[in-house]
Amino acid sequence: MKCSMDMLFTLVRLYKSKEIFWNPHNPEYHQEDKLNDAWQELATELSTVTKKPVLALECKKSMDALFSALQELSDRKV
């Protein structure tokens, strides 16, 4: 997914708003079907905001890429 900075900021904000993605104490954190539903919901919300079609898999790949980039930057500073 080709993302503008605004789209990435929106993606991160939506990700942050869904505790299922990042809180291991959330009862649904380890339930793959619930996680898939949450990714689909996030993609639908992002599509509504950006007025562009977005797939759940694209959202997940974009977040994975952001986390990888952050990890790489963190490793460089050590």
Side-chain angles (χ1 to χ4, degrees):
M1 161 172 73
K2 183 82 171 157
C3 294
S4 67
M5 289 302 282
D6 287 339
M7 191 175 196
L8 282 175
F9 284 127
T10 303
L11 174 62
V12 170
R13 183 180 50 78
L14 290 170
Y15 180 92
K16 185 179 173 185
S17 74
K18 299 194 178 306
E19 194 176 325
I20 186 174
F21 293 130
W22 50 266
N23 183 355
H25 300 294
N26 184 311
E28 298 176 341
Y29 180 80
H30 294 289
Q31 297 179 20
E32 192 169 334
D33 59 328
K34 300 289 186 181
L35 281 168
N36 290 336
D37 291 345
W39 280 114
Q40 186 58 52
E41 186 179 309
L42 187 147
T44 301
E45 291 174 25
L46 187 59
S47 293
T48 301
V49 171
T50 61
K51 297 180 177 52
K52 295 179 183 179
V54 179
L55 299 175
L57 184 59
E58 293 174 324
C59 292
K60 184 171 182 345
K61 285 182 177 182
S62 293
M63 287 304 300
D64 287 345
L66 282 172
F67 286 128
S68 292
L70 287 172
Q71 184 64 48
E72 186 177 313
L73 286 172
S74 176
D75 290 346
R76 285 185 196 169
K77 291 184 179 184
V78 173

